[in-house]
Amino acid sequence: MKVEGLAEGPGPASQCCISRLLSVVESELQAGREKGDPTEKQLKVTLEEAELWRKFKEVTNEMIVTKSGRRMFPVLKVSVSGLDPNAMYSFLLDFQPADSHRWKYVNGEWVTAGKPEPVGNGCVYIHPDSPNFGAHWMKAPVSFSKVKLTNKLNGGGQIMLNSLHKYEPQLHIVRVGGSHRMVTNVSFSDTQFIAVTAYQNEEITALKIKYNPFAKAFLDAKESFPYSGGLPLAPPHGYKHYPPRPAPYPPPYLPHRTHTSGETHRHLAISLFQILF
């Protein structure tokens, strides 16, 4: 008996679509399977962009923490091989104190400044691709670009850190399905940093600007549009009319601005960079 409104089963077109999707998934995971080891005895985790991390470590890396949360730069990325391609894993990240000190920046260098604040409830960031097949994790570098560091307990996957304390990110790989099992814990000393609410060392600021593509684009825009806050003016969303275009030069009643050097504009841009990045 045929019931109105119910499908009798997948037709040829639907079957073709499913086969095509499965084929795409299979080819996508093939690169990961080639790096696999069902025994997990050949497991290897490698830090990506290690040379960039070392540049920051040489001058004591700093990471901004804010109430609303700030993303890391450099971004933590790792390459993994030796997982069981067909098993399921979750990737987790937390931040362990790197020492037992509080720090302060004095006369151009970081020095210890007494005992650290008590360690609060450890926040753990779960990679959004978790859980997933070992083949998925091995097919390309695993990026933690969405991690946000905060100095307030906000929840929502953000990591709360104490300002002026040194931390080291630690990666945990957990095998899931059936009974959960910790496969490995990995950390890299080159990724240590001091949490700050504003960059203290000018060398760190310079490195962030030089290597962070978002920061570089921001500063280029600031220099291209020095009198419009660094960005072309555009109407707010939902407005029907554009605001008047700004004059190409500062108005005559602000004569001091006509003599502002490009270098001063760059310093202003860097100050704003401190807030945004």
Side-chain angles (χ1 to χ4, degrees), residues 87-139:
M88 300 290 285
Y89 300 89
S90 288
F91 277 47
L92 297 82
L93 188 69
D94 66 5
F95 293 76
Q96 298 295 323
D99 54 45
S100 57
H101 305 292
R102 183 184 177 92
W103 292 83
K104 64 180 179 180
Y105 194 71
V106 180
N107 297 326
E109 63 178 350
W110 285 101
V111 297
T112 56
K115 296 181 179 180
E117 295 181 25
V119 178
N121 294 329
C123 299
V124 176
Y125 176 86
I126 303 175
H127 194 285
D129 288 356
S130 301
N132 221 311
F133 291 106
H136 169 82
W137 296 115
M138 295 185 291
K139 68 184 176 67

Side-chain angles (χ1 to χ4, degrees), residues 227 250 254-265:
Y227 299 117
L254 293 175
H256 61 284
R257 292 186 65 184
T258 61
H259 303 291
T260 304
S261 68
E263 186 62 26
T264 300
H265 286 310

